[in-house]
Amino acid sequence: MISILTKTALALSLASPISALADDDLSNATNEEVVVLDANSENVAAARKEAVADGENGAISNADATVLDEIVVTDTAGGGAFIDQNKLRNLATPTNSITDSLRSRSNIQFFQGSRSSAQGGEIAPPQISIAGGRHYENNFMLSGISNNNNINPLGLGTSNEARSGGKSASVTGESQSFFIDTSLVDSVAVYTENISAEYGSFTGGVVDAKLRDARDDRWHIMAKYRYTKASWAEFYPNDTQEDIEYARSRDNYQPEFNKYEFNAALDGPVGDHVGAIFSYAKQHSKVPLWSEYFINSGDKERQTQYRVSENFMARLNTKDIDSFDSSLTFIYAPYTEYLFQPRPRYGDYDNKGGGLSVAYDMKNHLGAGLLKTAFSYQETELSREAETNYYFYNLKKGVGGMDWSTSATGATGNMGAFGAVEQTKRSFIFKETIDFDDIATGFVTHEVKAGLDAELGKAHYKSSGSTTYGQAGGVETNLSAVGGIENGVAYGQWAKQKVVNLPQDNEVGYANAAIFLEDAAHIDRFTIRPGVRVSTDTLTNNIDVAPRLFANADIFNDDALNVFGGYNRYYGAQILAYAIMRDSSVTYSRAAWNAAWNQTATSETRYGLGDLRTPHSDEFNIGASFKHGDAIFGLSYLDRRHKDQIRAKTETVSGVTNREHTNEGKTHYWGATASAAIKYDLGATKHVSELSATKSDTTTNMRGPSGFSDADGATVSLTHATLDGSRVAIDDLPATHFNSPWVITYSHTIEAFKDLHIGALARYEKGGSGLKTAPTGTTPIHTGDDGLPATIYYTKDYRDTFVVDLSVGYDIKIGDHTFALGLEVLNLFNRKNEVTSQSSGTSVSDEYSMGRQYYANVRYEF
């Protein structure tokens, strides 16, 4: 068995120094008391458990992240974090999502609008950026299996018009395929630098959520209900949202909402060596809004939108079968938005995401080492179901019984929707990894790891097509007109023109594969870990070689002071949407309702991946950690250069629009993080305190929170812009999101008298420089090198933001039964924090975060 020191260096090499804050001196710990974090997030650490039991060097290393099961904090000083179930339970978060649980990390940036006062009814997880990457450039995993949405992760959008997609366009989603509630999760590990060659398909970071296993002492049951509503929140609307009583579906504002959450779980042993867990979680939000059209009485129509996220999980796992461990997991996690377009009547539609996952994994210690195997089958979707697949412009009010208009005094109204879009992905995932037993060669001890992973899948895009009537020619009145909607006749009125968006049905198969090898070589107090990962995919046929190198020195050979550094390359993954999308339309006109349609124009948009290189990032890192008693201090500097990021370029020739991806995107990020963590026992109360601060800077030519789809295409310059009246290169514009120059976080967890649980999190973000776009209709004053008009921006200096979230829970225990009452307060001090700017028509307005908001919850456990 190798020494504790070598284990320390290995874990350091994977995720920077990880602190161990335990209830007692770990030199007295036993196997049963210790939970070890393997920095590969597999939670397999038999050798380390033996080392603790043997008491080698008198204590476990800080890299082996060990805590007893009261207040658990396992943390990294600038390199990542490990958050256990107890801390997840004590966090006050609006969404109970995996990404929301990372707000205590100063080196992780959040999309500024994720807590907007305008979006209180939303339940989707917030977008995060790691080391300057886009929110979709991270690798999200569930117990080591991919949870990435690579169909189209542009984002859900912040208004119904953005969410509708329109016509036959692609429906977009978030960066995670499944929105997993943290009640299903045992722990969350996030890796931000010096990441093992075992991980790929990212240029930002890795977030691995380990699913819960069944307990083996007896059967347990849990049920929890959580609730909030608009009247429990303080709103800070922007200047254009003063009339909040009549907030419309298009206003990007939700002044009324009710949010309900329910969790239930049943788990226990089903035999001597097998346990089972059945878990269900649901988040349900109701958002009443007004239409933008008026009916005859002069009133708008009121409808209720819904957001529904559900998690069904059934999981079998083995227990204590010699050196064998396995689990079989079934997850069904649909997400649905019930929406309506603001201006047309009968324009309801649903957006759907999520899907099904079945995964089996096993770990078996063979003669040469620990073999880990995983299989998974997934079905996911991003789809739209619409009430209709036709859209009428400018129907005349009062004709043929048509009784609504787009304004209180208007004479015309619209109706219909843009039809259905179905985007699905089916994939098989296979992973095989072997952690070889230690190999001693002279005075060097090697810990070699090798493996492969592969994904074989098929993506399918299907649209019903839709027809837009009267878009240019208007609608004529003729009550004798017949023929029905399919012939452009509604309410006795007929359309002069129609644009038919043709149905599409496209499919593409794809395969990804990677192999990796790394060796953690330990020489006395030094560890050097070289590694390499080689990957390829059939969409681009690239072969990508990603070298990884890490070194650590335990200065005094007692784990008190470690100095480390590394160089690593990470390769991302391709997006499937533009490999499967097509968009074709035909325009017709006619002179009378009973005349034949004459084709006047055709339009076709061809999407493609083009001759793409795989996006990658190069990382340089140096840092140190210091341990003294129950305190851990860390300092880390990271430089990350993102290259070949994906943008889209549009060219139209003879009515055919070619929309190809390019590798013109690039981002440079640097960040320095200092952190401290300590655990202390005051007798009646036990405390864990964590403080971290990150100074960073990001420059990029990727505009907006999502950069892979450059929606402006060829209508504006992609080389230059106008900033505060001066012509500047696009590359010199400040980042518009995820760009706070200083982030400081402090979290404090208290357990008092074993019945009272308190968790507090403070997050300060210094306001950075952002951009405001000019109001609609502003005349460009410069052009780019490509001869296209330059977009006009103004520098926007955001004010500093400061938020304190508080969670308080009290347990009432009666025998084996626990009844718990909880209260969460978000933005405790009711700060009016500026989060983003919005351009609308001729005005540009600021948006603010939600003020003080209350959540109440009750929980029963047995």
Side-chain angles (χ1 to χ4, degrees), residues 270-324:
V270 293
D272 292 339
H273 300 289
V274 180
I277 182 169
F278 304 93
S279 185
Y280 174 73
K282 180 178 182 179
Q283 295 192 43
H284 187 196
S285 176
K286 296 181 179 180
V287 184
L289 289 171
W290 296 91
S291 67
E292 193 169 331
Y293 56 81
F294 291 75
I295 56 177
N296 262 336
S297 62
D299 294 328
K300 298 178 182 179
E301 191 166 52
R302 187 173 171 85
Q303 298 184 56
T304 299
Q305 297 187 357
Y306 298 92
R307 316 281 192 266
V308 181
S309 179
E310 294 182 282
N311 294 173
F312 300 84
M313 183 178 80
R315 181 173 168 89
L316 291 173
N317 58 272
T318 61
K319 293 279 187 179
D320 303 323
I321 305 179
D322 296 326
S323 59
F324 179 79

Side-chain angles (χ1 to χ4, degrees), residues 803-814:
V803 176
V804 176
D805 298 328
L806 178 67
S807 172
V808 180
Y810 183 73
D811 296 343
I812 303 170
K813 298 180 180 179
I814 304 174

Side-chain angles (χ1 to χ4, degrees), residues 588-627:
Y588 300 88
S589 64
R590 61 184 176 181
W593 70 268
N594 55 356
W597 289 103
N598 296 311
Q599 181 175 326
T600 58
T602 62
S603 175
E604 180 180 2
T605 301
R606 298 173 180 172
Y607 301 85
L609 290 171
D611 187 17
L612 280 180
R613 298 180 298 276
T614 307
H616 70 275
S617 61
D618 288 322
E619 167 188 285
F620 299 89
N621 165 256
I622 189 170
S625 69
F626 176 71
K627 178 181 178 182

